[in-house]
Amino acid sequence: MTSTDRRTALRTGAGLLAAGALTAGCAPNGAGTHPPSSAHPSSTPSTPSPTSSAAPAPRRLPGRPAQLTHGPRTHPRVALTFHGQGDPAIARSLLTEAEKRGARLTVLAVGSWLDQYPDMARRILDGGHDLGNHTQRHLAVNTMPESDARSEITACADRLEHLTGSIGTWFRPSRAPLASPLVLRLARGAGYPHVLSYDVDSLDYTRPGADAVQRKVLDEVRGGSVVSMHFGYPDTVAALPVVLEELAHRGLAAVTTTELFS
């Protein structure tokens, strides 16, 4: 099968699996569409299974800045990070595809998404992936008054701790690549020594097509890169296998962000 045929087949399969299941991207300044109304909480979060161990907690990285955009450039590793929101079928498909290829992801989950799909927290962790905080409602946190911004951070942290025993390993602000000084301070106060940003934006939330997502990532990624991608978009499902295949061809391992900074 040629590369073109393979990519066409991947796009077709992803479209059948997840057609129409679209959610908001994390565009700067609140650009992009909002999640569908069905994304509002519909169930009470479950408690962790008695046999489930507590998830890893955030850790301070001596010598690293408060906002992390990339890891060491000297190591052949990259971190694919996903904004966790949208149809759980797409999320499970992406996780499974990564696991089949030996890749580990980082998922920054929206709290209201975890309210609706509490089992996704344990699914992510059981697959060997990182799980972190992407605010409670995925609003423009940098523009909020202090009390509202604090609530957005701590509410999602509370959901994560309730479901996993940890507030998550990372925090990423919603609707902005970088945290404002206020949000940076609030995140630190909530227990996150570092805010996780990125140096490669896949722009998958603009729905440009799988080929465009692949090109954007593969043209810019290099050792140490942190790539921003999203659950909820069929284009991303179709793009991921080709991205992982090419990363492997270049000798770049897709690891969790925790591993990237180890």
Side-chain angles (χ1 to χ4, degrees):
M1 179 181 289
T2 67
S3 175
T4 300
D5 291 339
R6 182 174 65 256
R7 295 180 188 186
T8 300
L10 289 167
R11 285 197 300 271
T12 302
L16 291 173
L17 183 148
L22 304 175
T23 62
C26 208
N29 303 318
T33 58
H34 290 284
S37 58
S38 62
H40 292 300
S42 60
S43 61
T44 302
S46 62
T47 56
S49 165
T51 59
S52 298
S53 58
R59 61 192 181 100
R60 186 175 302 280
L61 303 171
R64 297 285 181 186
Q67 301 211 55
L68 302 169
T69 57
H70 64 81
R73 296 297 190 189
T74 54
H75 301 303
R77 298 180 292 189
V78 300
L80 303 181
T81 69
F82 286 78
H83 302 227
Q85 192 178 25
D87 186 343
I90 297 181
R92 292 188 184 98
S93 179
L94 284 162
L95 294 168
T96 299
E97 187 61 46
E99 290 156 12
K100 286 193 305 184
R101 295 169 181 268
R104 296 294 177 260
L105 312 178
T106 299
V107 180
L108 293 311
V110 175
S112 59
W113 184 69
L114 294 176
D115 285 342
Q116 189 174 15
Y117 306 111
D119 62 310
M120 287 304 305
R122 186 51 57 182
R123 168 65 185 89
I124 291 163
L125 292 171
D126 287 349
H129 311 284
D130 272 1
L131 179 62
N133 179 334
H134 196 38
T135 74
Q136 177 62 19
R137 296 177 294 165
H138 198 256
L139 304 176
V141 68
N142 281 349
T143 67
M144 291 180 171
E146 181 170 348
S147 60
D148 293 344
R150 179 184 291 108
S151 178
E152 282 295 306
I153 297 168
T154 59
C156 186
D158 289 345
R159 301 300 188 275
L160 287 164
E161 188 166 27
H162 180 76
L163 292 170
T164 72
S166 166
I167 63 171
T169 46
W170 304 100
F171 169 75
R172 173 174 287 169
S174 49
R175 301 287 180 179
L178 294 171
S180 68
L182 171 62
V183 170
L184 192 64
R185 174 169 61 81
L186 295 174
R188 188 181 304 113
Y192 302 97
H194 303 276
V195 168
L196 181 61
S197 185
Y198 46 88
D199 65 320
V200 179
D201 189 348
S202 70
L203 298 179
D204 56 352
Y205 61 87
T206 65
R207 306 177 182 126
D211 286 345
V213 173
Q214 294 160 18
R215 285 195 303 272
K216 185 70 164 59
V217 172
L218 295 173
D219 285 352
E220 299 179 16
V221 72
R222 56 191 175 116
S225 282
V226 177
V227 182
S228 171
M229 305 179 84
H230 294 74
F231 285 171
Y233 293 90
D235 289 349
T236 312
V237 180
L240 185 62
V242 178
V243 168
L244 291 175
E245 181 180 328
E246 179 59 24
L247 289 176
H249 179 72
R250 298 180 188 181
L252 294 172
V255 300
T256 66
T257 309
T258 296
E259 292 172 304
L260 185 71
F261 288 101
S262 294

